[in-house]
Amino acid sequence: MSLSTNAADGPQGRRLTPVPSPQYASTGLDVWTMMNQVAASVNAVNLGQGYMSYPPKEFIKLAAQEALVENAHNQYAPPRGRPGLLEQVGIHFANRLSRPIDASSELSIHAGANEALLSVFTAFLEHGKGQEVILMEPAFDQYTPNIIMSGGKPVYVPLRVQSAGKDPSKEVISSHDWKLDMDELEAAINENTRIIVVNTPHNPIGKVFSREELEQIGAIAARHNLLILADEVYEHLTYGVEHISIATLPGMWERTITVGSAGKMFGVTGWRVGWSVGPAELIQPTLSAHTRIVFTSNTPLQEGVASAFRMAKENDFLNIQRQEYERRRDRLMAIFDDVGLPYVVPDGAYYLLVNAKAIKIPSDYSFPDFIEERGDNFKLVYFFIKEFGVSGIPPTEFYSEPHKHLANDYIRFAFCKTDEGLDEAAKCLQSLKCYLQETS
């Protein structure tokens, strides 16, 4: 359709306006903006979105500041990435994966882990072919639109609670109690399937997949010749369990691209620097897609991340950071122990899924239309924010429509927050304790 230079010169004098893609025509708020706005309306303690409410360590900020004053660091970086950062990420993964990494062919630097994911989907999916990607639900909400933008079709296989007789609405359970049915996974695969996404440590459950589980997933991928996209942005945040990269298992390096994030590793989510690592024949098409999506990631912060990697070793940063997060996790769990709401103990990442089924919302409680239309889980979170002054995220946003019921009773909270913020949340939630006593 061509547009007339006269805005009112269309058929019957109607104004002609460009028509957007149906995928983006909706003007609805994303869940993060929506819940942040609800939280701001009552000045709630924000434990919703997973950003850090405390500053990065001084050596990390200094690394970025020093990079900015170097003239050469303010121009385009090579699409693959700055040599210094490629070297540091290569060293990191050589240790992580127990194999040599060729930084000139087996790595690519990206504008955040999300762009790395999009680059992989773009590189390995074709438009118009009906090619499919297996996602394990709950699944990070960026996976689905990235797959669709790349011409693919997401296929969902949910993790299900198998808690040995425990009632998750009344008792604390482990993130390991969320199990993947391997038969269900394999049944979802057909001749159109191209990729399996494996997120470990997992957002939002906090599950760290065991070696046995990863071996089973890997065997299925090998039988069907599938690419494994390993989203391991929380690789450094595990609590008492071992994180195993699926690429380290026999025969898996050849079919795996592993994605990581400086934002998650160093607590600088706004820097938007990530990476992908894998065999050269998988990274080259990923790099080609990256080059057409954003061309390159920003230069000074690549240099800042490279310096942060070098100084992290000197400061024992990752071990200290893990201890700090574990302390915050334990503090938030103690808060919900005190008010009587059970939760899922996370073995990794920095989220706590709380089962709020015991909260009884009055039948005449009024919800705005933008909440009402999103279902019961959104209403639960809205009520929680408005009445108790602590914000979370509705995890049904991480599910496809047929499986949303699996998360209706849960609220996701982030514990990458200051001690003061967690203390304030503890005070706010005292009113919940009284409320539960009245409705028990």
Side-chain angles (χ1 to χ4, degrees):
M1 180 179 78
S2 62
L3 296 181
S4 168
T5 55
N6 184 337
D9 199 24
Q12 291 82 49
R14 289 178 297 178
R15 182 181 297 274
L16 295 177
T17 56
V19 179
S21 161
Q23 186 178 351
Y24 300 104
S26 171
T27 57
L29 288 176
D30 65 272
V31 65
W32 317 103
T33 303
M34 179 188 298
M35 292 305 166
N36 283 341
Q37 289 182 357
V38 175
S41 72
V42 293
N43 197 29
V45 180
N46 195 333
L47 304 185
Q49 194 168 5
Y51 64 85
M52 296 74 188
S53 61
Y54 43 83
K57 302 296 186 184
E58 284 301 316
F59 78 88
I60 298 172
K61 292 192 292 184
L62 183 62
Q65 293 166 4
E66 291 178 344
L68 279 168
V69 301
E70 175 61 48
N71 288 339
H73 296 167
N74 290 286
Q75 305 305 323
Y76 293 124
R80 187 181 292 277
R82 294 284 297 180
L85 181 55
L86 288 168
E87 178 186 26
Q88 291 301 312
V89 176
I91 292 170
H92 173 77
F93 274 99
N95 293 329
R96 167 68 71 188
L97 304 181
S98 300
R99 63 176 300 120
I101 300 295
D102 185 345
S104 69
S105 64
E106 296 177 334
L107 287 174
S108 179
I109 304 303
H110 295 267
N114 187 47
E115 189 263 311
L117 296 167
L118 177 60
S119 293
V120 174
F121 293 135
T122 301
F124 288 91
L125 297 172
E126 294 183 69
H127 285 264
K129 297 291 185 69
Q131 296 175 344
E132 298 179 355
V133 179
I134 303 292
L135 298 178
M136 302 171 197
E137 290 183 312
F140 178 50
D141 69 327
Q142 288 288 82
Y143 294 154
T144 290
N146 282 356
I147 292 165
I148 294 171
M149 281 193 293
S150 302
K153 174 186 175 183
V155 175
Y156 306 98
V157 180
L159 299 169
R160 302 180 190 275
V161 174
Q162 299 178 21
S163 53
K166 288 185 176 180
D167 182 347
S169 70
K170 297 178 181 178
E171 299 176 81
V172 172
I173 64 171
S174 167
S175 55
H176 191 63
D177 292 329
W178 293 66
K179 303 288 188 181
L180 177 65
D181 185 320
M182 298 299 168
D183 292 333
E184 187 176 4
L185 172 64
E186 191 151 24
I189 296 170
N190 58 47
E191 66 277 5
N192 294 320
T193 310
R194 294 293 181 270
I195 303 171
I196 296 178
V197 178
V198 179
N199 175 209
T200 183
H202 188 276
N203 171 19
I205 295 172
K207 176 183 176 69
V208 178
F209 281 78
S210 69
R211 181 179 297 275
E212 180 183 4
E213 289 172 314
L214 294 174
E215 287 174 342
Q216 292 176 308
I217 294 167
I220 291 170
R223 276 198 295 274
H224 298 276
N225 192 27
L226 303 180
L227 173 69
I228 296 172
L229 178 49
D231 180 353
E232 299 185 4
V233 298
Y234 301 102
E235 60 174 281
H236 56 294
L237 292 177
T238 58
Y239 316 112
V241 298
E242 180 188 9
H243 165 64
I244 299 169
S245 291
I246 194 168
T248 64
L249 302 182
M252 290 300 105
W253 165 258
E254 294 79 9
R255 64 176 62 258
T256 301
I257 297 175
T258 302
V259 168
S261 165
K264 300 299 193 295
M265 181 171 287
F266 295 110
V268 287
T269 58
W271 286 20
R272 309 308 296 147
V273 176
W275 43 79
S276 59
V277 58
E281 57 269 27
L282 301 183
I283 293 300
Q284 183 55 52
T286 301
L287 173 61
S288 296
H290 158 75
T291 304
R292 295 300 168 229
I293 294 169
V294 295
F295 182 63
T296 186
S297 177
N298 78 81
T299 301
L301 293 182
Q302 286 194 52
E303 291 294 332
V305 173
S307 295
F309 262 114
R310 286 188 289 267
M311 290 185 283
K313 300 179 183 71
E314 301 171 10
N315 290 275
D316 196 25
F317 169 72
L318 292 180
N319 285 329
I320 293 171
Q321 179 178 244
R322 182 183 295 110
Q323 294 166 9
E324 292 172 346
Y325 272 95
E326 187 167 11
R327 178 178 54 78
R328 294 185 185 104
R329 180 199 70 160
D330 293 349
R331 172 71 175 124
L332 188 58
M333 291 193 302
I335 290 170
F336 282 102
D337 285 334
D338 179 58
V339 300
L341 285 183
Y343 47 82
V344 180
V345 179
D347 288 331
Y350 47 65
Y351 306 103
L352 188 71
L353 278 183
V354 173
N355 192 306
K357 185 176 182 179
I359 295 176
K360 307 300 181 185
I361 301 175
S363 58
D364 60 350
Y365 196 86
S366 178
F367 296 96
D369 290 343
F370 70 88
I371 292 292
E372 188 77 45
E373 66 190 15
R374 301 295 288 271
D376 290 344
N377 192 229
F378 274 68
K379 290 194 285 186
L380 174 63
V381 175
Y382 179 89
F383 180 81
F384 202 99
I385 297 171
K386 285 287 192 176
E387 298 305 315
F388 309 128
V390 179
S391 73
I393 292 294
T396 53
E397 192 70 4
F398 294 73
Y399 284 86
S400 59
E401 196 61 42
H403 300 142
K404 285 185 184 294
H405 67 280
L406 296 172
N408 262 343
D409 297 331
Y410 288 96
I411 303 175
R412 192 201 79 168
F413 298 97
F415 53 85
C416 50
K417 308 298 177 181
T418 62
D419 291 341
E420 292 79 9
L422 295 177
D423 289 343
E424 183 62 25
K427 294 176 184 176
C428 292
L429 290 173
Q430 292 306 305
S431 59
L432 183 155
K433 183 191 298 186
C434 296
Y435 179 83
L436 290 177
Q437 290 172 346
E438 293 173 2
T439 58
S440 60

